Amino acid sequence: MQTAGIAINEDNSHFFGSRPPEAMTEAGLRELIDHYAGPLTREVLLNPNAMRASYAARTWEPIWEGIEFREDGTACHRGMELKPRGARWPRNAQLLHERGLNPYAVWLAYAREKGLGAWLTMRMNDIHSVDEPNNFMHSAFWREHPEFRRVPHRFARWQDAALDYGRPEVRERSLAQARELLETFDLDGLELDWMRFGYHFRPGHEAEGRELLTEFVGQVRALAQQAAARLGHPVKLGVRVPARPETAAELGMDAVVWAQAGLVDMVVPTAFWATTDYTMPIRPWKQLLPASVTLAAGLELNSRAYPAAPPLRNTAEMVFGYAANYLWQGADRIYLFNHMDSETAVATETDRLRILNLAGDAAAIQQQVRRHVVTYTDTVQDGREVGYALPVSLGTNQFREMRIPVGYAPQGAVQAILGLPKDAAETTAFEVRVNGVPCPAAAAPELAVAENVVRLLAFTVPDGAVGDGECVVEVRNPGNPAQIVWAEVLVMPKA
Amino acid sequence: MQTAGIAINEDNSHFFGSRPPEAMTEAGLRELIDHYAGPLTREVLLNPNAMRASYAARTWEPIWEGIEFREDGTACHRGMELKPRGARWPRNAQLLHERGLNPYAVWLAYAREKGLGAWLTMRMNDIHSVDEPNNFMHSAFWREHPEFRRVPHRFARWQDAALDYGRPEVRERSLAQARELLETFDLDGLELDWMRFGYHFRPGHEAEGRELLTEFVGQVRALAQQAAARLGHPVKLGVRVPARPETAAELGMDAVVWAQAGLVDMVVPTAFWATTDYTMPIRPWKQLLPASVTLAAGLELNSRAYPAAPPLRNTAEMVFGYAANYLWQGADRIYLFNHMDSETAVATETDRLRILNLAGDAAAIQQQVRRHVVTYTDTVQDGREVGYALPVSLGTNQFREMRIPVGYAPQGAVQAILGLPKDAAETTAFEVRVNGVPCPAAAAPELAVAENVVRLLAFTVPDGAVGDGECVVEVRNPGNPAQIVWAEVLVMPKA
């Protein structure tokens, strides 16, 4: 089987916010691409926009517009002071412009030169910080048209203030922006990132919305074909959408229909942000999409056991766990979002390089320690309730099962790991079976876990108990009532 | 568009248990088929077995085997007294045998004569009453082989004692039984009912299990083709499987693969028993299955708002609600399970006939009052948690959304209905929006609801607020904390 490979997303602020002004040069720009070019890297996807663009765009305001930059490095927008890092981003983007450099043009050209797929990825409905009306990130269009918000009658969460793609004004503006990207740059592909932020219609209006969005994607497809004719090489179209096919469709993003109609070349089902999704149904996606469409499984940077749990930043071993599951199910790519080269990045540079060199290679991953952690699905249709495997509260003599996908059958030692919260009794002793096989207690290994986990219990899973696919961890509590706030299956290949 | 139509399942005990001995005649048998033959009836699916057969089978024990029938009408099996209705079933089945009648042969022939699709439906792993080891319904095979159970180390619920299809002995026995049906009868189709009871492998062993089950279905397919050659007409193969494609696959029932491999002609995603499923994803199923495969949406007899809620027996209006949703999503049939002609039946004969005459016709349903009630999904992978829309507890000034599928856009008056439990304050007053549109309070209509619902609140949904697909009911509670235990959208077409 062909080695799957990796796709990497670089967001609209990271480079500009993480580098000093001296790095705002062609060499400084190229260095970013060098950091992402590994033996498995297939595509680099560069994001030029949220509500504004990080270059001197026509159809978006440039990110620096209307910001007063002061001598002392502080800055102000519509009376609102920027945070220090917030100021660095627009100022550095502006610096590049002043120096005559369009960072996206430089990046795309250099990525193409290095043989990488050079993509732009356009955020279709970004709503970062919409609780701050004067934040510099916002477009005048969003600020001046509260009537275009998808939930005009309330503002309970950011997604209520996303733009309503049921409005022709919203679609037309967005289409003009996609046209600008496709007419301006020399690119191998354009991704429409519908997962920033995943909510594009008035709740309950998604069935009519998906007709509109399918038409919209078709229009962008036509523009991409025009770009291909202009450039003399293919210009592909991709989409990022919610983790589950029916969630995507019921939120108006009909990715299966788009793929079956030949409108898109790459589909990226993905978690949104709060956590990477351990149950993302890649196999059903693969069954739904034409074979010619690249199915890229999207990771986020953090893992959370449940919505109220604190996050744990992914380690290489956790990424290998997710990747083993997704690749076994048939993913053509591991798509890394927010796994950048600094700041918004995995914990160490060593981890970053291990991921870059291994995470898209099913054979290589099976040689690595991997952690299959329990998380949840963080993007859900308005008004649909979902379940959470954790936390588990077990009364005396109660039991609970947890289904944990592992993908490829473990070769080597396997442990089931359970995490207890702060107030757990010292005497907590569970009886654990995996796939029905009793697992004796073992010394707990050292593992990075979320900060609400105070103690780990480990159980040795006998050889051969876990095969391909998913395993079921059964925990029985013979003692006093106890709570479990973390769970995972740890796979350690033989040396 | 072609009118979809109805498929009706007759179980293995209903006829025998609901009729007097005098009806155990050819005329009595035929009457059952007459009751199911409506203008929309496409298939009648007759179930000859659970662990035993309701006729004198070779590869199953007949249901009457080993039962001591006494003069006074009582009966006993392995020291266990049968309940009165329990005794009537095996005795009537035995009576037919003594009279030289095989009921399934009579029914199939008569159904074919009437132009109905005449199917048998074989329960693949029935576990009714497995907490009673000496119950007359059990096979010696099940009783004598506790080591073949899917969860041998515990017995917490019936499904733990289902047979493990990972065992060759279990598959071979089951295959011999399917062979008997296909070699004995003249039938238009055989359904493998994997939803009695939906759990066929050791938890965590489903990935290897689905390989085995796909091979098994292929073997039955070959037997069906031999039967077709013998009979000189096609013999189709169908399957009943869990409501969601990934649930089916993750429990070992790879219906999508079976369909894509050409092994089955009909797929019936369905709720199990506790409740009909208001969120069954028919549209994704339709996208996954080849166009040549009939997609039948399975109903159960009851609706429950959540697992701990009491059941409400479906009314015609509720069936029309489910059917409007499923047909709009692309279902080719409405499949009625446990909607029989007496006892295990909808509340009134009038309801039964209205369902029979209308429920498979999308145009006709849209002329009827229909109720779109909130329920849940009752078959879930071991160790996977799911969410429940109800009950909802709303503190002061809290709000909650509920997403309710309606299918075809309502033509006529629409109300959102909320049900309050016993201890609800008289002053409870919610603010309700549907799809963002405010809905004024109205007088509550008379509706059959579950017995835990003490008071109904109704809200008038303005014309045009609800379109095709799903709607979102938003409930805000300006008053004291309150609970909601029932919710639905009521559609009343203009007279």
Side-chain angles (χ1 to χ4, degrees):
Chain A
M1 211 180 84
Q2 208 181 335
T3 303
I6 289 172
I8 299 184
N9 185 301
E10 165 74 13
D11 77 15
N12 60 321
S13 71
H14 161 258
F15 174 83
F16 312 99
S18 64
R19 265 66 171 178
E22 305 80 61
M24 296 304 113
T25 62
E26 182 142 358
L29 289 164
R30 288 184 168 219
E31 189 193 36
L32 180 82
I33 302 297
D34 289 332
H35 284 189
Y36 291 151
L40 298 172
T41 309
R42 302 278 182 267
E43 293 91 12
V44 175
L45 299 105
L46 303 152
N47 167 231
N49 74 293
M51 282 200 211
R52 292 176 157 193
S54 293
Y55 74 99
R58 283 183 291 108
T59 56
W60 288 274
E61 296 104 324
I63 191 67
W64 56 83
E65 187 165 298
I67 301 179
E68 178 196 346
F69 294 101
R70 307 193 190 95
E71 292 284 327
D72 64 359
T74 63
C76 179
H77 179 263
R78 293 174 62 89
M80 181 179 170
E81 289 295 315
L82 274 64
K83 292 175 192 152
R85 186 181 178 283
R88 184 147 75 160
W89 162 23
R91 180 62 193 128
N92 272 343
Q94 190 182 35
L95 259 183
L96 282 164
H97 175 58
E98 290 166 359
R99 292 170 184 170
L101 290 168
N102 182 320
Y104 297 92
V106 173
W107 281 327
L108 290 168
Y110 187 51
R112 283 179 58 82
E113 190 183 319
K114 295 194 73 140
L116 303 172
W119 287 55
L120 292 177
T121 174
M122 173 177 161
R123 296 190 176 191
M124 304 310 289
N125 209 351
D126 197 286
I127 43 174
H128 272 98
S129 304
V130 284
D131 51 325
E132 302 170 343
N134 290 318
N135 192 298
F136 73 98
M137 294 188 289
H138 304 333
S139 65
F141 182 81
W142 175 82
R143 210 169 38 239
E144 293 165 7
H145 292 287
E147 76 278 15
F148 290 169
R149 298 183 189 183
R150 67 186 281 275
V151 191
H153 74 269
R154 71 163 195 244
F155 182 46
R157 43 201 178 206
W158 283 1
Q159 70 210 48
D160 290 345
L163 292 169
D164 173 13
Y165 269 75
R167 292 279 196 160
E169 298 89 338
V170 171
R171 294 195 305 280
E172 282 159 20
R173 181 166 189 273
S174 199
L175 188 64
Q177 293 168 333
R179 180 183 292 115
E180 172 174 337
L181 296 181
L182 287 163
E183 289 179 353
T184 304
F185 296 99
D186 182 355
L187 70 180
D188 293 316
L190 174 65
E191 177 178 79
L192 307 179
D193 186 353
W194 298 108
M195 284 303 283
R196 282 296 175 275
F197 273 60
Y199 296 87
H200 311 294
F201 295 99
R202 286 182 293 154
H205 290 264
E206 297 88 353
E208 55 195 89
R210 67 188 180 212
E211 306 291 326
L212 298 171
L213 226 51
T214 297
E215 186 188 351
F216 179 95
V217 172
Q219 290 168 329
V220 180
R221 179 60 147 187
L223 293 171
Q225 285 164 338
Q226 290 169 24
R230 170 177 67 84
L231 296 165
H233 62 73
V235 177
K236 294 184 176 176
L237 196 60
V239 287
R240 290 212 321 145
V241 293
R244 289 160 199 286
E246 69 268 29
T247 304
E250 290 177 12
L251 282 172
M253 292 160 273
D254 223 347
V256 170
V257 167
W258 303 342
Q260 291 182 350
L263 302 182
V264 297
D265 307 292
M266 179 151 75
V267 172
V268 190
T270 184
F272 161 58
W273 173 82
T275 182
T276 301
D277 187 343
Y278 81 130
T279 61
M280 199 154 68
I282 293 298
R283 187 172 183 265
W285 274 111
K286 194 73 186 168
Q287 292 172 326
L288 283 159
L289 300 179
S292 58
V293 171
T294 299
L295 173 60
L299 273 72
E300 259 290 338
L301 181 57
N302 290 317
S303 293
R304 277 181 172 83
Y306 49 98
L312 175 66
R313 194 167 282 217
N314 289 347
T315 63
E317 289 77 16
M318 291 161 70
V319 170
F320 297 153
Y322 292 119
N325 171 21
Y326 300 153
L327 292 173
W328 180 78
Q329 290 191 57
D332 302 309
R333 292 281 188 284
I334 297 301
Y335 185 116
L336 301 172
F337 196 97
N338 272 337
H339 288 65
M340 290 180 275
D341 77 352
S342 61
E343 302 189 7
T344 305
V346 290
T348 71
E349 178 67 7
T350 307
D351 278 56
R352 192 184 78 80
L353 291 171
R354 289 184 65 208
I355 293 166
L356 195 66
N357 289 325
L358 301 170
D361 181 341
I365 285 172
Q366 291 178 72
Q367 307 302 317
Q368 306 299 313
V369 173
R370 56 189 220 247
R371 299 176 60 186
H372 298 281
V373 307
V374 169
T375 66
Y376 67 97
T377 300
D378 72 353
T379 295
V380 180
Q381 304 92 309
D382 308 81
R384 179 70 37 82
E385 297 297 317
V386 296
Y388 303 104
L390 291 172
V392 165
S393 292
L394 282 182
T396 302
N397 287 327
Q398 288 184 337
F399 76 94
R400 181 76 71 88
E401 293 171 303
M402 282 175 278
R403 174 171 292 257
I404 303 181
V406 299
Y408 300 98
Q411 307 293 326
V414 180
Q415 287 189 327
I417 306 285
L418 302 173
L420 307 179
K422 196 173 163 197
D423 53 354
E426 273 304 312
T427 55
T428 302
F430 296 128
E431 293 167 7
V432 169
R433 288 174 183 262
V434 173
N435 291 356
V437 181
C439 301
E446 286 287 324
L447 291 171
V449 288
E451 64 184 26
N452 65 327
V453 180
V454 166
R455 191 149 54 96
L456 290 179
L457 304 177
F459 302 85
T460 301
V461 182
D463 283 354
V466 178
D468 286 335
E470 308 187 327
C471 69
V472 173
V473 177
E474 178 188 321
V475 184
R476 187 175 290 274
N477 179 23
N480 292 324
Q483 200 183 33
I484 303 168
V485 294
W486 184 267
E488 66 179 275
V489 170
L490 172 65
V491 177
M492 296 159 286
K494 292 201 172 70
Chain B
M1 211 181 85
Q2 208 182 335
T3 303
I6 289 172
I8 299 184
N9 185 300
E10 164 74 14
D11 77 15
N12 60 320
S13 70
H14 162 259
F15 174 83
F16 312 98
S18 64
R19 265 67 172 176
E22 304 80 61
M24 296 304 115
T25 61
E26 181 142 357
L29 288 164
R30 287 183 169 219
E31 189 194 36
L32 180 83
I33 301 298
D34 289 331
H35 284 190
Y36 291 151
L40 297 172
T41 309
R42 302 279 181 270
E43 293 91 12
V44 175
L45 298 105
L46 304 151
N47 167 231
N49 73 294
M51 283 199 211
R52 291 176 159 193
S54 293
Y55 74 99
R58 283 183 291 107
T59 57
W60 288 274
E61 297 103 325
I63 191 66
W64 56 82
E65 187 165 298
I67 300 179
E68 179 196 344
F69 295 102
R70 306 193 191 95
E71 293 285 326
D72 64 359
T74 65
C76 178
H77 179 262
R78 293 174 62 90
M80 182 180 169
E81 290 295 316
L82 275 63
K83 292 173 193 155
R85 184 181 181 285
R88 185 148 76 160
W89 162 21
R91 180 60 193 130
N92 272 343
Q94 190 182 34
L95 259 183
L96 282 163
H97 175 59
E98 290 166 359
R99 292 170 184 170
L101 291 169
N102 182 321
Y104 298 91
V106 173
W107 282 327
L108 290 168
Y110 187 52
R112 283 179 58 80
E113 190 183 320
K114 295 193 72 139
L116 303 172
W119 287 56
L120 292 177
T121 174
M122 173 178 161
R123 296 190 176 192
M124 303 310 288
N125 210 350
D126 195 287
I127 43 172
H128 272 97
S129 305
V130 283
D131 52 324
E132 302 170 344
N134 291 318
N135 192 298
F136 73 97
M137 294 189 289
H138 304 332
S139 65
F141 181 81
W142 175 82
R143 211 168 39 238
E144 291 165 8
H145 291 288
E147 75 279 14
F148 290 169
R149 298 182 189 183
R150 67 186 281 273
V151 191
H153 74 269
R154 71 164 194 242
F155 182 46
R157 43 203 176 204
W158 283 1
Q159 71 209 49
D160 290 345
L163 291 169
D164 173 14
Y165 269 75
R167 293 277 196 160
E169 298 89 339
V170 171
R171 295 195 305 280
E172 282 158 19
R173 182 165 187 273
S174 198
L175 188 64
Q177 293 169 333
R179 180 183 291 114
E180 172 174 337
L181 297 181
L182 288 163
E183 289 179 354
T184 304
F185 295 99
D186 183 356
L187 70 181
D188 293 316
L190 173 65
E191 176 178 80
L192 307 179
D193 185 352
W194 298 109
M195 284 302 284
R196 280 298 175 273
F197 272 59
Y199 296 88
H200 311 293
F201 295 100
R202 288 182 292 154
H205 290 265
E206 296 88 354
E208 55 195 270
R210 66 187 179 213
E211 306 291 326
L212 298 171
L213 226 53
T214 296
E215 187 189 351
F216 179 93
V217 172
Q219 290 168 329
V220 180
R221 180 60 148 186
L223 293 171
Q225 285 163 338
Q226 289 169 26
R230 168 177 69 83
L231 296 165
H233 62 74
V235 177
K236 293 184 177 176
L237 196 60
V239 287
R240 289 213 320 145
V241 294
R244 287 159 200 287
E246 70 266 28
T247 304
E250 291 178 11
L251 282 172
M253 290 160 274
D254 223 347
V256 170
V257 166
W258 303 342
Q260 291 182 348
L263 302 183
V264 297
D265 307 292
M266 178 152 75
V267 172
V268 190
T270 185
F272 161 60
W273 172 81
T275 182
T276 300
D277 187 344
Y278 81 131
T279 61
M280 199 154 67
I282 293 298
R283 186 172 184 264
W285 275 111
K286 194 72 185 167
Q287 292 172 326
L288 283 160
L289 301 179
S292 59
V293 171
T294 300
L295 173 60
L299 273 73
E300 259 290 338
L301 180 57
N302 290 316
S303 292
R304 276 181 171 86
Y306 48 97
L312 174 68
R313 195 167 281 215
N314 289 347
T315 63
E317 289 77 15
M318 291 163 70
V319 170
F320 298 153
Y322 292 119
N325 171 20
Y326 300 153
L327 292 173
W328 180 78
Q329 291 191 55
D332 302 308
R333 291 281 187 286
I334 297 301
Y335 185 116
L336 301 172
F337 196 97
N338 272 336
H339 288 64
M340 291 180 276
D341 76 354
S342 60
E343 303 191 6
T344 305
V346 290
T348 70
E349 178 67 5
T350 307
D351 278 57
R352 192 183 79 78
L353 291 172
R354 289 185 64 208
I355 294 168
L356 195 66
N357 289 326
L358 301 170
D361 181 341
I365 286 173
Q366 292 178 72
Q367 307 302 318
Q368 305 300 313
V369 173
R370 56 189 219 248
R371 299 176 61 186
H372 298 281
V373 306
V374 169
T375 66
Y376 68 97
T377 300
D378 72 353
T379 294
V380 180
Q381 304 92 309
D382 309 80
R384 180 69 37 84
E385 296 298 317
V386 296
Y388 303 103
L390 293 172
V392 166
S393 292
L394 283 181
T396 303
N397 287 326
Q398 287 184 337
F399 76 93
R400 182 75 71 88
E401 293 170 305
M402 281 176 279
R403 174 172 291 259
I404 304 182
V406 299
Y408 301 97
Q411 308 293 326
V414 180
Q415 287 189 326
I417 306 285
L418 302 174
L420 307 180
K422 196 174 162 196
D423 52 353
E426 274 303 312
T427 55
T428 301
F430 296 129
E431 293 167 7
V432 170
R433 287 174 183 262
V434 173
N435 291 356
V437 181
C439 301
E446 286 287 322
L447 290 171
V449 288
E451 64 184 26
N452 65 326
V453 181
V454 167
R455 191 149 55 96
L456 289 180
L457 305 178
F459 302 86
T460 300
V461 183
D463 283 355
V466 178
D468 285 335
E470 309 189 326
C471 69
V472 174
V473 177
E474 179 187 320
V475 184
R476 189 175 289 273
N477 180 21
N480 292 325
Q483 201 182 33
I484 302 168
V485 296
W486 184 267
E488 66 178 274
V489 171
L490 172 65
V491 177
M492 295 158 288
K494 293 200 172 70

